[in-house]
Amino acid sequence: MISEKQADEEMVSSLNESESQEKEEQIKQDDSKFGLKSLLWHGGSVYDAWFSCASNQVAQVLLTLPYSFSQLGMLSGIILQIFYGIMGSWTAYLISVLYVEYRSRKEKENVSFKNHVIQWFEVLDGLLGPYWKAVGLAFNCTFLLFGSVIQLIACASNIYYINDNLDKRTWTYIFGACCATTVFIPSFHNYRLWSFLGLGMTTYTAWYLTIAAFVHGQVDGVTHSGPSTLVLYFTGATNILYTFGGHAVTVEIMHAMWKPQKFKSIYLLATLYVFTLTIPSAAAVYWAFGDQLLTHSNAFSLLPRSRWRDVAVILMLIHQFITFGFACTPLYFVWEKVVGMHDTKSICLRALARLPVVIPIWFLAIIFPFFGPINSAVGALLVSFTVYIIPALAHMLTYRSASARQNSAEKLPFFLPSWTAMYVVNTFILVWVLVVGFGLGGWASMTNFIKQVDTFGLFAKCYQCPPPTSATAH
């Protein structure tokens, strides 16, 4: 009787604590409803999460998708975008289910996360043990590291089309210093304004690419030979795998929500919006320029200089700064936990502790400035595991016992009749991504990547820059 009474008291205490935290959050929202700081800085609603997911998905990959279409051909490009978009939304849903499961189990043990941001590797640790934690940490951190590298490369590649007085490597130095200022943004709560602006910027850029391509019309003698080789085909396919694999930060975005249980369909809704940006822009630019895109991985490089293009370039530069912060913030959290600074309330002290994370990113962007090919390599070798294989396998292992399935914090989605169907879907994703994404995609993207190294060399000063005579013609 005593143990039952104690258990009841603990449950009531836990519920009261949870209710008081919700009330505290509500009071904060109500008190500062019209405050500028709350409006711009404190985000945790479902709308904030939607903007974060949609803004984080498109980013600079918008400029490389026409390049992927030239490798895949129009039909495959459209089909694979839809296929990988739906697949990515499914694995984001699996991650959200595992997060809720982990958090509900911990809260039953009265664990508080007041000054602690839950991350994906901790979810894996809590549900499946330390080996899974190590695997999750290794893949996630490496992917986010190279995701940040790609943003720096994209910044240098884009600004060059406005100002070619400096080479791309020099621009990488400059933007590395600019992006280092993201150390001052504490968490995903504080990306409300940035996410909103970021999605507006990519929306403008996508429709600029679409309209500008149609206004320009098809170039003389345009050819659309893709797909021409298996290497190019699977390289393009893995870039699209990478496009819809932006949910390496899903757990951090969920943790920043006031009610993370509402995340379930947010990623799918974000993906549906992203389709309206990526499919028309990639198809239009490929229609206009065809096989020329095979040697121009940045769509800006083929469109004529205009004020509209300059605006798009500037907006993408700002957005890449935002996406750099998105990719780097989970790395900042990991590093803070390693050096014991994660609970520190001082923004300046935390910013100082975070700076060492930026240095290797800066250095790698200078070594591998291959805008486009690096996306495919990262997609095949890192995204395939981080975003698709590990979540699918972790979900199957977490709910492998009948008791775990019966007591799961989240029930099956309405469109799946049984746990058997859930396992069938997860197994299909596991096999597909392992064979097509990691296997064939890894072979193709690394073959293409090595070709870029052989052609341009490491530390390339100006990757895919036009000859001096063309540059001065601007």
Side-chain angles (χ1 to χ4, degrees), residues 195-250:
S195 297
F196 177 77
L197 291 177
L199 191 58
M201 292 166 187
T202 48
T203 300
Y204 170 90
T205 304
W207 287 108
Y208 156 74
L209 290 173
T210 306
I211 295 166
F214 282 124
V215 169
H216 181 280
Q218 290 187 310
V219 295
D220 293 337
V222 66
T223 54
H224 299 87
S225 59
S228 55
T229 68
L230 285 176
V231 168
L232 290 177
Y233 187 84
F234 287 109
T235 301
T238 48
N239 187 39
I240 294 179
L241 183 83
Y242 170 85
T243 304
F244 297 99
H247 43 289
V249 295
T250 297

Side-chain angles (χ1 to χ4, degrees), residues 69-132:
F69 269 48
S70 70
Q71 297 170 318
L72 290 163
M74 188 77 79
L75 183 61
S76 287
I78 293 170
I79 290 171
L80 284 175
Q81 274 205 48
I82 296 168
F83 176 67
Y84 282 130
I86 293 169
M87 188 185 286
S89 299
W90 175 255
T91 53
Y93 164 76
L94 297 181
I95 291 171
S96 73
V97 168
L98 293 172
Y99 169 86
V100 171
E101 182 69 40
Y102 168 78
R103 186 158 183 171
S104 65
R105 289 185 189 182
K106 288 297 179 184
E107 284 175 352
K108 285 175 186 174
E109 299 168 9
N110 293 325
V111 176
S112 173
F113 297 106
K114 190 176 180 182
N115 295 315
H116 183 93
V117 177
I118 299 172
Q119 294 189 267
W120 177 227
F121 67 89
E122 292 167 323
V123 172
L124 291 173
D125 184 27
L127 297 176
L128 296 171
Y131 291 113
W132 277 86

Side-chain angles (χ1 to χ4, degrees), residues 342-355:
H342 190 58
D343 296 335
T344 306
K345 291 184 179 178
S346 168
I347 290 176
C348 291
L349 278 176
R350 287 179 71 186
L352 195 62
R354 290 171 167 192
L355 274 174

